[in-house]
Each structure stands twice: as C-alpha cells, then as structure tokens.
Amino acid sequence: MFSGGKQVLNSILGWGKLQSNMVEDIIEAIEDAGFEAEIIPDSAVSQPKSQKTLSAQFRIGGMTCANCVNSVEGILKKLPGVKGAVVALATSLGEVEYVPSAISKDEIVQAIEDAGFEAAFLQSSEQDKILLGLIGLHTERDVEVLHDILKKMDGLRQFDVNTVLSEVEIVFDPEAVGLRSIVDKIEMGSNGWLKAHVQNPYTRGASNDAQEASKMLNLLRSSLFLSIPVFFIRMVCPSIPFLSTLLSMHCGPFLMGDLLKWILVSIVQFVVGKRFYVAAYRALRHGSTNMDVLVVLGTTASYVYSVCALLYGAFTGFRPPVYFETSAMIITFVLFGKYLEVLAKGKTSDAIKKLVELVPSTALLVLKDKEGKHVGEREIDALLVQPGDVLKVLPGSKVPADGVVVWGTSHVNESMITGESAPVPKEVSSVVIGGTINLHGILHIQATKVGSGTVLSQIISLVETAQMSKAPIQKFADYVASIFVPIVITLSIVTFSVWFLCGWLGAYPNSWVAENSNCFVFSLMFAISVVVIACPCALGLATPTAVMVATGIGANHGVLVKGGDALERAQNVNYVVFDKTGTLTQGKAVVTTAKVFSGMDLGDFLTLVASAEASSEHPLAKAVLDYAFHFHFFGKLPSSKDGIEQRKDEVLSQWLLEAEDFSAVPGKGVQCSINGKHVLVGNRTLITENGVTIPPEAESFLVDLESNAKTGILVAYDGDFVGLMGITDPLKREAAVVVEGLKKLGVHPVMLTGDNWRTAQAVAKEVGIEDVRAEVMPAGKADVVRSLQKDGSIVAMVGDGINDSPALAAADVGMAIGGGTDIAIEAADYVLVRNNLEDVITAIDLSRKTFSRIRWNYFFAMAYNVVAIPVAAGALFPFTGLQMPPWLAGACMAFSSVSVVCSSLLLRRYRKPRLTTVLQITVE
C-alpha cells in the first residue's frame, strides 16, 4: 500500500515539475513577443460550484401597502441562501428563489413571520417532491401505520408527516415510483382507512383568501357590536331623558356613561385592534413604517387622552370632554375598508380562478391487460394522470390532460383556451388540450403532457408570473411609500403645534373652542385627523391591482402578458415589425407551379428537388415534398387519412434518391450530392454565388412569379440550371385590416423577411406596408430591430419561428404567435394564443387602457391625500368652520383604498377592438 502510494506521489510531483517548466516557457514566449505576463493564483480564477436553486411560492398575509412589500422583500433578500425574492401586494404572494442546501422553506416562513406577517408555503419548483393531504389520520396508531407503509415503499427518499394539518411531504424518485402508485399503496396498505390526495396549491390559495375574508368579517362584526353602543351613548342618549339620567348616574367617581364607553372601547382598542398593534410593532422593529403605524398612533392618542381626561374629571370634579368613540369608530371603519378591500382584491384574481376551474377534478382511466385489451375503467384524481395513460372522455366532460386521440371522433370546444368560438373536429391522431370540453362523441386520448407541462398550466403560470412582476411605474409608489408615513407624522406634529401655539397666544377667538374643552384638545383632534386620514395603501394598490385585472382580461382574450414591464412598454410602441412567413402569412406554403428549363423530365425534376429537400426542416421544403409526392402518387394510395400517412412513410424511403453531404445554407437554400453530382436548391443568391447562369427565359419567369407575391425556388444540377418552382404562402385574412388599424393607432408597421425584394414588396403592397426589409438573414433580424431603436423608438416584434427568437428578444416588446415554436414563445413578452393578428391590436390597446387606468388610480390616490390632509389639518376651519372629526377621517381613509381597487376592477369591462371598428380609431 505504502510503496504504491509513493509511486503515485512521485508521478504527481514529476507532473508538477513538468507543468512548472511549461509555464515558464509560456511566460518567456509571451515576454519575447513584447508583452508582460504573470501567473494568476488558482483561487482567483476558480469558479464556485453551481448550486441547485429552487423557486417556491408563499402566501403572505398582513401586508397593507407598498412599504410592507418593500420590507418583506428586503428581509427575504438578506437571508443567506436566498438568490432573489418578489412580493406582490395585490395577490398576497411571494416568489422566492433559494438554495435548499443553505436555507429551508420553513426558515423562510419563519423569517417572514418574525417580520410581523403571516406566511404559509404553497408550492415549489421541485419536481420530485409532493405534498399529499390525508383523510383518516387521527391517532398515533394511524401515524404508525402510515410510517410502516412509506418505509416499505420503493423509490421513496424521505417523508415528513404533519399530523396537525393531516399532510405528508414526500421526496421520491420519479423513475422508480409514480405518484399514482404512492397514493394507491397508502390506501391499500391501510385497508382503505387512509386516503391520500394531491394538495392543489390553487385550492389552498383560494381557501386562504376565504379564511382571510372570514377573519376580517368576524373582526368587523365584533367591532361594530361594541362601537355602535358607544356611538349611541354619545350621540343619541343625551336626547332621551330617561337614558340621559341613567347614564349620568355615578358609579364611584365615574359617570355610568363614561365607564361603559371606557369598557367597550378598551375591548375594541386592545382586543379587536390587537392586529394593528402587532403589525405596527413588527414594522417599527424592522425600521419601516406602514398604515398600521398611523392607525395605532391616531387611535392610541385618542384613547389615552380620553382615559386621562376621564381620570382627571373623576378626581377633580372638572370633566373635560372624552373622545372614546373616536378610536372605536376609526378601528371599525378601517376594518370595514379592509374587508371590502379583501373582497375587491379577490375579484382581481378571478381570471386565474376561472382558468384553474377549467381543470376537471377527476379522470376516467382506461384499464388494459398485458395484451393491450380494454378490461375496464377507473375514476382517478385528475392530478394523478401520468404520461402514457389512456383516458376516456365522455360527451359534455372536460379533457383531463393534453394528449392525442387514439380512438373515436368528436368536436371539442377550445374557446376557453384559444378564444376560437367554433368547435374543432377531432379524430384519431388529433391533438387535444386539457381543460377543453368534449361536445359530442366519446374519445379515448393518450396523455402526453400532465401537471405543469400542460398548455393550461403554462397559461396559468404565465398569468401568475405577470401578476407577480412589477411595472416600472410601481417604483414611484414604492418611493412615496418609503417616505409617506414619516411625512404624515411630521405634518400631524406641525398641525398640533400650530393650532396649540395659536390658541395659547390668543391668535384665534375662544368661541372656536367648545365650552368644556381647551386649545390642547382642540389641537389634538386636528392632529389625530391628519394621522388617520392619510392613506398610503391607495398608492400601493394603484398599479398591481390594475396589472392583475389586465393580465387576467388578456388571458381571457387569448393574449398572455409575461409581466407588468412588458405591459407598460407596449403602450408606447412606435414600430411593429412583422415577420412575413407564418406571421403575416398562414405559414402553409403551397407549390403553385413547377417548370423545367432543360431536357429533364418533370417527374425526374420533382424527384431530384424532393430528394434534396427531404433533410431540410424549412416550411418551404415540406411544401416541395408534398407537391412532388402527390404528383407521383395521386390516386394510387388508400383513401383513409391513416392509410395515406402510413403508406407515404413506406414509399418515401423507396422513392427518394439518396442525398449525401447535405447542408443548409441559412437564408439561401440547401445543397447536397445526388448520384455523385452537386445539387443546389434555393434562391437566386445561392445559384449565382455558385457560378450557375440563369437563362433569360427562366429569369423572366422568375420575375413574374415574384411580382405576384410568389417565392421562386431555383434548382441547379451538376453546375447547370435545371428549373424552378413557384411557392405561395397565402396571407392571413385579417392581415391588411390589422396593418391599417395599427396605422390608425399611430404605430408604424414594418415587414421583415429573408425573401427576395420583389416577393417581399408584392406581399407588403397587398397588406398595405410601405416599410419593407427584405433578404435579411436570420442573424440580421435583430440588427434591424436595433436600428429602429436607435432614435429611442419603442419597437415591437411579431414572429413565430426559431429564427425570430433573437429579434423577439432584442425588441422592446416581443410578441410570439401561439402556434409558433417554444423557443420563440420563450423569447417573447407576449404570447398570442389564437394565432390571430387582431390580437396585436388587442395587446397594444389593452396596454394603453390599463396604464390610462393606472394613471387615474395614481391621480385619485394623490389627489385624495393632497386634498384630505389639509382639510383634516383644519385649513378650511378659519373660513368655513368646517372641522373633520377623527372618526370621519378614518372612514375616508378606509374608503380611499377601496375606491382605487374598484377603479382597477372597471378594467373587467374591457372589450377588445373589433375589425369593423378598428379603422375608426384615431390618434389622440
């Protein structure tokens, strides 16, 4: 052992010496070239090992304004192991990206709760972890049974049972055991006593919303029950002789009425209002301020003064006025406003709730034997569907997962996903989308995508991401919120000081002050009104509530917005750049003509071209293959669709010639060798660059094709020009109207294509676009976008293909057609689900309407504070005698935030522009 180790050590040292000599030689060579060189220590260049990060979603309760959001975000970002955090006020959700090896989700929850807010974990991006709810888990014996079942199960890495919530968190190996198997084994192992089900995070979120509303309603009822008698004693009883006499009776040194008010208001102040004290304390402990601080300051000042005045009167006989009803009514009105706010904020997330409700709760699993024969059916939880499962979809029921029809024919209503109202026919091999409704026949579908991979789940995820994001305009509210409360408290102190000093110096008549009062109480009421009437919540809710409603409305219309920043940029779009193929056109290229300019037979010509194009993935290549195939085999194949496809696959390998050394030339065409001879198939540039001469008659024919908006495909064989084909891609029916509508909106349309100038100009003329950029290579599309941005213009790019993704990413607003590639959709800011150009106008129009509403929200919020605070401070009192009681100030504050949320909810009345009215839109 030792001698072997010595040999290894010597070899390592020998290699080290060799390395040292090599390094010295390298340094000497660099210095001989006239440059300086030095060795950088390994520690300076070594890269830390990448750590696995997870994204988790948490429900956060108790946030009232933008300052609360900033506090929670700041605390989360300071936690070790947290890479990033985004918190949304309108949804009460937080997205945290963290390293699980450095910090756990429970520690994140604890940190949020320590900051003074309620927190609960909802879901994680971890694929091999699942949270199961359990029915029947009551006793220690049940827990032992569950432990025994899980320990014996293969593929489980670890599990954690929560007996309080009747949940079990399981980490498992998806390759070794399926989720449905885990649920089934728990039920079978307990003889049916324990039943497990997957916890749906959206259901839990809805449950939390309902609990929050219920909790707020109970607090409001308690506050009303106690505050109404206090208000009645102060305002009504003095006018009723019997009650007035009864309340004027002495109970020790106190009057009966004052003692009753003290007892009732103390309960309101410290029991019902406990949540305000707790939230204010935790906010101040972390160096921040929020609305709770203002409520606590105003109500406590009123309460403490009233107690002091009551005790002073009890021991001196001189009874100054008490204002117990002020603090009670303020708390009641604030709770009422909070309750309305919770209800209104719930309405803003209706879009996600409706999307979640599209998913059926159960699915019919078709059971098959080893030979694949149908032996029965079983109803299972839709969340337990696995890829490869065959599911039975009855007429009138919802499709449980994305999949492919393997048996049956029917029509499916896909309007809830795509916005298309017409039912879509489905037959064998047709793709179906989870959440859509089967209308007529019975279908058997094979699940291909389940869980987070389905179209519906991705739409929900996009909408959630958009609602979590912050629009840049939100920075204004965040800044104002950070300084709002200190400014208000300063104004309150100034208000008290000015009124008190003026009264003490006799600057205003004594008649302004009530007979049984003094200038101190008179000044205090103004100061309390200032503190209570100021509302930072309205500013904090102005943007997120409008963005929430807008993204939901967009999803209902087939326009998915990825974030508030994209929504904000789209309102100022100056240019909309359209890719031609698949965007302005239908993306269904068709060969319209084929002409040979040599002695080659037309059939041989088509076989040659099809053989060359067979390895290409370009849409035009498919059109060439289909045309050549039908030329040779039309009428010679089975009539059924399945028969044609099966026979076509068999024939292609026998019919096509073998192509060698195939290569695609971006933006030009393809080249290969067939029968040992060089073949070129592509545009004019590819042909001429390879030294092939195009005959005059072919050039003339090509010009005619291009002038009629057709693309010419030229073919050369063994250095000689052979022939050409004309391909057309029909324009989308709405293209011309959408282009005209954009002009009316003040947006400049641009067409971008790799096609030749004649074809591009012919297509552009047909749709009404004057600005054309043709013969642009895929890599050059992003450069065109950047050139338009040079003068500060906001550019939107609309595309569908992989070659459009760089331009989509470079544009200020990228819009991917929903039928396009995943890469294009990933690079875009908007996804147009319906593959309809009308939605480009919808996206811009919705953005403009949304930010118009946000500006109104900010105007209302700012105007309210600018007007209300001076009125509460008594600015109008010397001229009008108008004094705002603190309880009325509390009512105004409560309704200000509700009014902003209701203003945002008006966006739910949004109606997308119709084609018939688009052309009547004019620039303001």
Side-chain angles (χ1 to χ4, degrees):
M1 287 288 291
F2 181 76
S3 61
K6 188 174 181 180
Q7 288 175 1
V8 172
L9 182 61
N10 286 335
S11 65
I12 292 172
L13 290 172
W15 170 243
K17 291 177 182 178
L18 179 61
Q19 277 190 313
S20 178
N21 293 333
M22 289 173 63
V23 169
E24 290 176 359
D25 290 342
I26 292 170
I27 292 175
E28 187 177 348
I30 295 172
E31 289 177 343
D32 288 344
F35 300 96
E36 296 178 358
E38 64 176 339
I39 301 173
I40 300 175
D42 289 343
S43 59
V45 295
S46 61
Q47 296 294 326
K49 293 182 179 179
S50 60
Q51 295 176 298
K52 178 186 177 184
T53 60
L54 292 177
S55 178
Q57 193 176 77
F58 298 86
R59 168 76 56 176
I60 303 173
M63 296 187 297
T64 57
C65 62
N67 218 25
C68 298
V69 173
N70 295 337
S71 298
V72 176
E73 283 185 351
I75 289 163
L76 288 174
K77 288 175 180 177
K78 290 177 184 176
L79 293 176
V82 172
K83 298 293 185 182
V86 178
V87 178
L89 175 63
T91 57
S92 297
L93 293 176
E95 288 273 4
V96 181
E97 187 181 357
Y98 68 102
V99 179
S101 59
I103 188 170
S104 69
K105 66 179 189 301
D106 293 329
E107 289 173 320
I108 294 173
V109 169
Q110 188 62 48
I112 297 171
E113 290 177 343
D114 288 344
F117 302 92
E118 300 166 7
F121 170 75
L122 286 182
Q123 60 182 332
S124 167
S125 60
E126 208 164 1
Q127 298 297 317
D128 57 355
K129 183 181 287 187
I130 191 69
L131 189 66
L132 298 177
L134 295 165
I135 299 173
L137 192 71
H138 304 302
T139 65
E140 287 296 325
R141 175 61 184 158
D142 298 331
V143 176
E144 290 174 8
V145 170
L146 179 62
H147 274 265
D148 290 340
I149 295 169
L150 295 175
K151 284 177 182 176
K152 294 176 184 177
M153 206 178 294
D154 294 330
L156 260 62
R157 295 171 182 161
Q158 66 182 65
F159 58 87
D160 181 27
V161 181
N162 187 326
T163 54
V164 177
L165 299 175
S166 294
E167 294 176 346
V168 57
E169 186 178 76
I170 297 174
V171 180
F172 65 101
D173 182 0
E175 299 295 327
V177 63
L179 182 56
R180 188 163 69 235
S181 300
I182 296 173
V183 172
D184 290 344
K185 286 178 181 178
I186 290 174
E187 188 169 346
M188 287 188 293
S190 63
N191 295 320
W193 179 253
L194 294 176
K195 294 185 182 296
H197 59 275
V198 180
Q199 291 280 46
N200 190 326
Y202 299 108
T203 305
R204 295 177 71 195
S207 175
N208 287 332
D209 288 340
Q211 288 176 8
E212 177 71 13
S214 176
K215 182 179 177 182
M216 201 63 69
L217 180 60
N218 289 334
L219 286 173
L220 175 60
R221 285 172 175 168
S222 302
S223 188
L224 272 172
F225 180 75
L226 296 167
S227 298
I228 288 175
V230 174
F231 187 78
F232 188 77
I233 291 170
R234 172 64 189 265
M235 305 300 292
V236 179
C237 289
S239 304
I240 303 174
F242 169 72
L243 292 177
S244 178
T245 303
L246 184 65
L247 294 173
S248 299
M249 294 174 60
H250 282 75
C251 182
F254 304 105
L255 294 178
M256 182 68 72
D258 290 342
L259 191 60
L260 280 174
K261 287 192 288 184
W262 188 9
I263 295 170
L264 292 172
V265 171
S266 295
I267 299 172
V268 174
Q269 185 75 29
F270 300 110
V271 179
V272 177
K274 178 184 174 182
R275 67 185 302 276
F276 297 112
Y277 280 94
V278 171
Y281 166 72
R282 288 174 175 171
L284 291 171
R285 191 180 67 183
H286 289 279
S288 63
T289 53
N290 56 20
M291 190 205 74
D292 296 307
V293 173
L294 295 178
V295 173
V296 166
L297 278 175
T299 57
T300 303
S302 176
Y303 178 84
V304 169
Y305 161 75
S306 297
V307 171
C308 292
L310 184 64
L311 295 174
Y312 180 79
F315 293 107
T316 64
F318 174 76
R319 301 183 185 279
V322 293
Y323 294 94
F324 282 118
E325 70 283 351
T326 295
S327 61
M329 295 304 289
I330 288 172
I331 289 174
T332 301
F333 278 121
V334 171
L335 288 173
F336 182 49
K338 284 292 162 194
Y339 175 65
L340 293 179
E341 188 180 314
V342 168
L343 293 180
K345 281 164 68 176
K347 299 276 187 188
T348 63
S349 59
D350 276 353
I352 284 186
K353 292 175 185 174
K354 288 178 181 177
L355 289 170
V356 171
E357 288 168 0
L358 291 177
V359 183
S361 57
T362 60
L364 274 177
L365 177 66
V366 176
L367 303 176
K368 296 185 177 183
D369 58 18
K370 293 180 179 179
E371 297 177 358
K373 293 182 180 179
H374 183 182
V375 295
E377 297 166 2
R378 175 189 166 198
E379 189 174 40
I380 62 171
D381 189 330
L383 295 172
L384 298 178
V385 174
Q386 298 172 172
D389 285 345
V390 176
L391 308 170
K392 183 178 182 179
V393 187
L394 299 172
S397 62
K398 295 176 181 177
V399 178
D402 292 1
V404 178
V405 177
V406 294
W407 180 86
T409 58
S410 182
H411 283 75
V412 173
N413 179 6
E414 296 183 346
S415 60
M416 63 288 298
I417 302 293
T418 64
E420 295 288 354
S421 57
V424 181
K426 300 293 179 182
E427 55 186 13
V428 175
S429 299
S430 296
V431 175
V432 290
I433 303 172
T436 55
I437 300 174
N438 180 27
L439 297 178
H440 304 302
I442 296 175
L443 293 175
H444 285 190
I445 69 162
Q446 185 172 42
T448 54
K449 293 181 180 179
V450 298
S452 60
T454 63
V455 170
L456 185 57
S457 294
Q458 290 174 351
I459 290 174
I460 292 172
S461 178
L462 280 173
V463 175
E464 272 193 329
T465 302
Q467 294 182 348
M468 286 294 298
S469 67
K470 290 186 178 182
I473 197 173
Q474 179 68 24
K475 292 178 182 177
F476 168 73
D478 292 344
Y479 171 72
V480 173
S482 66
I483 61 173
F484 187 87
V485 174
I487 288 176
V488 168
I489 293 173
T490 303
L491 288 174
S492 176
I493 294 171
V494 170
T495 299
F496 174 81
S497 302
V498 169
W499 280 107
F500 182 74
L501 287 173
C502 288
W504 186 59
L505 296 172
Y508 53 78
N510 292 331
S511 59
W512 286 9
V513 183
E515 291 182 6
N516 59 345
S517 185
N518 55 51
C519 67
F520 175 83
V521 176
F522 183 66
S523 306
L524 182 64
M525 289 301 106
F526 281 120
I528 292 173
S529 293
V530 169
V531 169
V532 172
I533 203 167
C535 183
C537 303
L539 282 168
L541 292 167
T543 298
T545 52
V547 169
M548 273 192 71
V549 177
T551 51
I553 292 297
N556 291 339
H557 287 94
V559 177
L560 302 181
V561 192
K562 288 191 178 180
D565 51 347
L567 196 66
E568 181 167 350
R569 289 194 300 269
Q571 63 170 328
N572 298 317
V573 164
N574 305 110
Y575 291 92
V576 172
V577 180
F578 291 98
D579 174 54
K580 180 177 78 72
T581 305
T583 304
L584 287 173
T585 65
Q586 296 177 14
K588 299 174 182 177
V590 178
V591 176
T592 57
T593 183
K595 191 169 183 178
V596 181
F597 291 88
S598 67
M600 187 180 290
D601 179 71
L602 180 59
D604 294 338
F605 170 73
L606 293 176
T607 301
L608 179 73
V609 180
S611 301
E613 292 281 21
S615 300
S616 174
E617 296 180 355
H618 197 281
L620 299 185
K622 185 179 183 301
V624 171
L625 270 171
D626 288 343
Y627 184 81
F629 182 83
H630 284 89
F631 177 88
H632 285 291
F633 299 101
F634 182 73
K636 300 176 184 178
L637 295 176
S639 57
S640 70
K641 181 180 178 181
D642 293 340
I644 290 176
E645 292 298 327
Q646 184 179 359
R647 182 68 178 138
K648 183 177 179 179
D649 293 336
E650 294 174 2
V651 169
L652 279 175
S653 59
Q654 304 170 6
W655 162 56
L656 294 177
L657 304 172
E658 184 179 357
E660 299 175 339
D661 302 325
F662 174 88
S663 65
V665 184
K668 297 177 183 178
V670 300
Q671 57 184 351
C672 62
S673 293
I674 296 178
N675 297 329
K677 297 180 179 179
H678 194 217
V679 178
L680 299 170
V681 180
N683 58 22
R684 183 189 279 102
T685 305
L686 179 69
I687 301 297
T688 54
E689 281 182 355
N690 282 273
V692 178
T693 304
I694 303 173
E697 60 271 24
E699 181 68 37
S700 177
F701 188 78
L702 180 61
V703 170
D704 288 340
L705 286 176
E706 293 173 346
S707 300
N708 289 290
K710 295 178 182 178
T711 300
I713 302 296
L714 288 74
V715 183
Y717 182 57
D718 195 23
D720 296 324
F721 184 83
V722 179
L724 60 80
M725 305 176 75
I727 298 181
T728 186
D729 187 359
L731 285 169
K732 291 179 178 175
R733 61 177 181 80
E734 73 276 8
V737 178
V738 168
V739 168
E740 186 63 25
L742 286 171
K743 292 177 181 177
K744 293 287 185 180
L745 284 170
V747 179
H748 187 73
V750 180
M751 192 182 82
L752 191 62
T753 180
D755 218 332
N756 64 82
W757 276 100
R758 282 198 190 88
T759 303
Q761 287 173 336
V763 171
K765 184 178 180 181
E766 203 169 336
V767 296
I769 296 178
E770 291 85 18
D771 194 344
V772 182
R773 313 295 170 95
E775 298 181 7
V776 180
M777 297 295 113
K781 291 185 176 182
D783 294 332
V784 173
V785 170
R786 294 188 190 98
S787 68
L788 294 171
Q789 293 171 326
K790 282 183 178 178
D791 62 351
S793 296
I794 305 297
V795 179
M797 171 73 193
V798 187
D800 70 323
I802 293 175
N803 60 349
D804 296 326
S805 54
L808 288 169
D812 298 288
V813 182
M815 297 184 185
I817 295 292
T821 65
D822 291 340
I823 295 175
I825 291 171
E826 184 67 27
D829 302 299
Y830 280 76
V831 179
L832 310 182
V833 178
R834 296 193 313 150
N835 198 11
N836 191 315
L837 289 175
E838 294 174 47
D839 292 339
V840 175
I841 288 181
T842 302
I844 295 173
D845 185 61
L846 178 61
S847 172
R848 292 182 178 183
K849 294 284 197 313
T850 301
F851 277 85
S852 173
R853 178 58 53 187
I854 288 173
R855 291 186 192 96
W856 274 111
N857 286 352
Y858 276 126
F859 174 77
F860 289 142
M862 293 296 293
Y864 163 79
N865 284 292
V866 168
V867 173
I869 291 176
V871 171
L876 300 179
F877 185 80
F879 312 105
T880 63
L882 179 64
Q883 182 178 11
M884 183 176 289
W887 64 266
L888 182 58
C892 292
M893 184 268 284
F895 285 103
S896 65
S897 56
V898 176
S899 65
V900 167
V901 177
C902 291
S903 170
S904 294
L905 286 173
L906 290 175
L907 280 170
R908 296 171 71 190
R909 299 168 60 186
Y910 174 82
R911 295 292 179 268
K912 60 185 293 184
R914 296 184 179 182
L915 282 174
T916 53
T917 57
V918 162
L919 299 182
Q920 298 173 8
I921 300 174
T922 55
V923 183
E924 295 180 0

